[in-house]
Amino acid sequence: MTIYLPIAELSVNIFIILGMGAAVGFLSGMFGVGGGFLITPLLIFYNIPPVVAVATGSNQVVASSVSGALSHFRRGSLDLKLGSILLAGGLAGATFGLWLFVLLRRLGQIDLIISLIYVILLGTVGSLMLWESVRAMRRAAGKLPPTTGKPRHHNWVQRLPLKLRFKKSKLYLSAIPVIGLGFFVGMLTPMGIGGGFILVPAMIYLLRVPTNVVVGTSLFQVIFVTAFTTIVQAATNYSVDIILAFLLMVAGVIGAQYGVRVGQKLRGEQLRALLGLLVLAVGLRLVVTLVVTPADVYSVVMEGVSR
């Protein structure tokens, strides 16, 4: 069964789109990563134009993140104070990222830049997460000696000013790295890189936020930053396909509920290992797309009606 997408200007199989939305929603609820780093390349792999994939995929991220965040809020695993500070930095970063997105699009380099950013970030973050989580699991199994000494982040993060107490996360740290992290993640959001896959490991390894609180708090920040980005993209770039967005949102909300339930049953190091493998797999797939010569060397791109 096919359906025509007016903004993307092509017909797609409705069941494949629903499957993508459900799968990404499931992973969003399970890992707290929003899903932007997955839905955008999946749509691009399915021949959706990158600009449309970036803007429209954000709608699905918002829907699945709301669904997952509500579940974590009911379970008491969402730190609203920490999430609000991350959000403040995220909105500022998203504003800067939108300006950068428009500039790159005018230069005609947005598709290449998006792919390269994905490859670099996915490869780096995925490798680090997988390495650390495997070591943690081996240590838990008694195959590695336990680590000694204070965490390395105490060397500089804990010495920064403007410290706040986050009771839900049981932390007392500066608001500066929290705002900076939110800004960086927000800056990536307009590129279709939901930022959650960076936000989650950064909160765990840099800020030392407990894993059970990280997922819900990350989803809280992703909701508002991604919603802001989607509205601005629709108003300025006219690249949000409402039909594609609706299909992804419906499937994503359903998938996120099941993802939260599964994520609650896994240990922190298991979640990080699975997320690391997932990030690496998507990164490798993008590398193949960039390196392998396409079947059709030349292609015609329709820009649509000029505005």
Side-chain angles (χ1 to χ4, degrees):
M1 180 179 177
T2 60
I3 188 171
Y4 182 73
L5 305 178
I7 302 299
E9 298 182 338
L10 77 164
S11 297
V12 296
N13 188 307
I14 189 172
F15 296 110
I16 293 179
I17 298 298
L18 288 173
M20 287 182 185
V24 173
F26 177 85
L27 296 170
S28 174
M30 184 176 179
F31 298 120
V33 293
F37 79 101
L38 285 173
I39 194 62
T40 300
L42 286 176
L43 291 174
I44 294 174
F45 297 157
Y46 197 53
N47 295 322
I48 303 294
V51 173
V52 177
V54 167
T56 307
S58 298
N59 290 271
Q60 191 269 351
V61 172
V62 173
S64 58
S65 296
V66 169
S67 178
L70 287 175
S71 295
H72 283 282
F73 180 75
R74 290 194 295 266
R75 289 173 168 81
S77 55
L78 194 161
D79 192 326
L80 288 175
K81 185 176 181 180
L82 179 61
S84 298
I85 296 176
L86 284 169
L87 175 59
L91 292 176
T95 302
F96 176 76
L98 284 165
W99 172 82
L100 186 61
F101 180 92
V102 173
L103 176 63
L104 291 173
R105 189 179 183 186
R106 287 176 180 172
L107 295 174
Q109 300 297 324
I110 188 64
D111 293 353
L112 176 62
I113 294 298
I114 288 174
S115 297
L116 289 177
I117 291 176
Y118 264 106
V119 169
I120 294 171
L121 291 179
L122 292 176
T124 302
V125 174
S127 299
L128 291 175
M129 286 192 69
L130 184 60
W131 171 256
E132 191 279 336
S133 57
V134 169
R135 285 179 59 87
M137 287 188 288
R138 291 183 62 190
R139 189 175 295 113
K143 296 182 179 181
L144 286 178
T147 57
T148 58
K150 296 182 179 180
R152 286 177 294 176
H153 78 293
H154 283 190
N155 293 336
W156 62 278
V157 173
Q158 291 298 322
R159 289 202 296 265
L160 294 175
L162 299 177
K163 288 188 176 182
L164 297 173
R165 191 173 300 280
F166 303 96
K167 295 182 180 180
K168 180 68 68 173
S169 301
K170 299 178 181 179
L171 293 174
Y172 181 63
L173 75 160
S174 170
I176 295 176
V178 180
I179 294 175
L181 178 60
F183 182 91
F184 179 70
V185 170
M187 183 180 65
L188 295 176
T189 303
M191 304 293 177
I193 305 173
F197 79 98
I198 295 178
L199 183 59
V200 170
M203 290 173 67
I204 293 173
Y205 303 125
L206 179 63
L207 305 181
R208 300 293 174 177
V209 180
T211 303
N212 65 318
V213 179
V214 164
V215 176
T217 306
S218 170
L219 289 175
F220 175 81
Q221 191 259 15
V222 167
I223 291 170
F224 296 99
V225 174
T226 309
F228 169 75
T229 302
T230 302
I231 293 171
V232 177
Q233 289 275 32
T236 58
N237 298 322
Y238 311 103
S239 52
V240 176
D241 194 304
I242 190 65
I243 296 178
L244 176 60
F246 176 76
L247 294 174
L248 292 173
M249 287 170 65
V250 170
V253 168
I254 297 173
Q257 292 298 314
Y258 289 98
V260 170
R261 296 177 185 177
V262 174
Q264 293 286 334
K265 298 178 182 179
L266 296 175
R267 298 197 306 270
E269 61 269 16
Q270 292 176 327
L271 279 173
R272 298 195 295 272
L274 290 173
L275 181 57
L277 286 172
L278 185 64
V279 169
L280 280 176
V282 177
L284 289 174
R285 177 65 176 83
L286 276 173
V287 170
V288 172
T289 303
L290 289 173
V291 174
V292 175
T293 304
D296 296 324
V297 179
Y298 300 100
S299 62
V300 178
V301 178
M302 299 297 293
E303 289 292 340
V305 180
S306 60
R307 298 179 185 271

